[in-house]
Amino acid sequence: MKTHTFKTNINCGSCVRAVTPHLNQVTSVESWEVDTDHPDKVLTVEMQSGSAHDVVEAVEKAGFSAQVFN
């Protein structure tokens, strides 16, 4: 399993709710969480397969940005 981290602009509970259906549709994502208290609003994603690009694309479809952080 791989862990990817991303710098995002997901900064509140409403934003998390908006991005949830998009991230949950990425079948390779096992789990994810956003640290909205962190200055870089870090999204941490555990994946069995797939790529960081899949996550970036899902976040962007929700109307937010994500850049690979690690």
Side-chain angles (χ1 to χ4, degrees):
M1 185 173 307
K2 290 184 176 181
T3 301
H4 297 280
T5 55
F6 304 85
K7 177 180 177 181
T8 75
N9 61 348
I10 302 168
N11 58 17
C12 67
S14 293
C15 300
V16 172
R17 282 190 294 279
V19 78
T20 294
H22 296 277
L23 283 174
N24 289 347
Q25 287 182 348
V26 180
T27 56
S28 57
V29 171
E30 290 293 315
S31 65
W32 62 272
E33 65 180 4
V34 180
D35 182 354
T36 57
D37 293 328
H38 191 284
D40 290 322
K41 313 304 180 197
V42 176
L43 168 65
T44 303
V45 179
E46 299 281 338
M47 301 178 77
Q48 287 288 348
S49 60
S51 71
H53 178 74
D54 298 335
V55 174
V56 170
E57 191 173 274
V59 171
E60 289 177 348
K61 281 182 183 175
F64 299 94
S65 65
Q67 299 174 326
V68 175
F69 197 61
N70 57 350

